[in-house]
Amino acid sequence: IFVFLLYQKTLQTQKHFWGVMTGLFAFLQTSYEARSFYLTAWILLLYFIYFSWKESKPDVKSVIKNISLSIIPAVMMVLLNSFWLIGLLTNTSSFSGIVVGRQLYGEGHFLIYRAFTMFHPFWTGSHRLVWGAPGQIFWWFWLIPFVVFAGYWLNRKNKDVIFWTIIALLGIFLTKFTSQPFTGVYLWLYQHLPGFNVFRESSKFNYFVDLGYAV
């Protein structure tokens, strides 16, 4: 959350200080879970595009300025994580089938209506997951998307709300994994998008849904 907040302040204030702070907090995130930062980085990129587009009078000069501000946290991330990135890049083949490129798991269980309700397919209602045993969605979980999209409708003139609604819908689409609609998209991304092949199942994309719904 702090990474998003600081990056937003970086672009809004056009100050390098906030770019440095973004880089430091992003490094803390990678120290905890590198895959979560991979997802965060895509949202930051989408926010950069959205922010540059939504300005009242976007021009080449402002876009270049936004790029220069965004380079600061990006360079910091690479340098601060170089101690493990160098080893990973020089031993990629050692991780094949262990960390990356594993067989997809959970096909047929991650469905779009489960993504809408934020209900993990293997949650039973108790304090644990039972892998491979889909649980029934409790009716009150349907209140979540109802309240969320009512909130979107009431705040649809707020450009930031529009952005996070897009992120939530993107998360719903990816969380539904290989189920309908467009069943082949996840597999194509898994095979072709760099870094995407660390996500052998789609529950991590609830991250997008959580953030979008929260806003």
Side-chain angles (χ1 to χ4, degrees), residues 3 7 11-12 20 26 35 61 69 81 89 114 148 152 159 162 176 185 203 208:
V3 175
Y7 184 67
L11 295 183
Q12 290 177 347
V20 173
R35 289 179 303 176
K61 184 178 179 180
L69 290 166
N81 286 289
L89 293 173
R114 293 186 183 275
V148 165
Y152 157 71
K159 293 182 179 179
I162 294 174
K176 63 128 184 111
V185 173
S203 65
F208 287 12

Side-chain angles (χ1 to χ4, degrees), residues 2 11 34 42 49 57 59 66 71 81 87 93 105 110 127 150 158 164 166 172 174 188 191 207-208 212:
F2 280 107
L11 295 183
W42 278 107
I49 296 171
K57 293 182 179 180
D59 53 45
N66 292 338
I71 286 175
N81 286 289
S93 58
Y105 174 78
F110 291 90
H127 297 293
N158 185 319
W164 288 107
I166 293 171
I172 290 169
L174 292 174
W188 187 91
Q191 295 174 338
Y207 181 52
F208 287 12

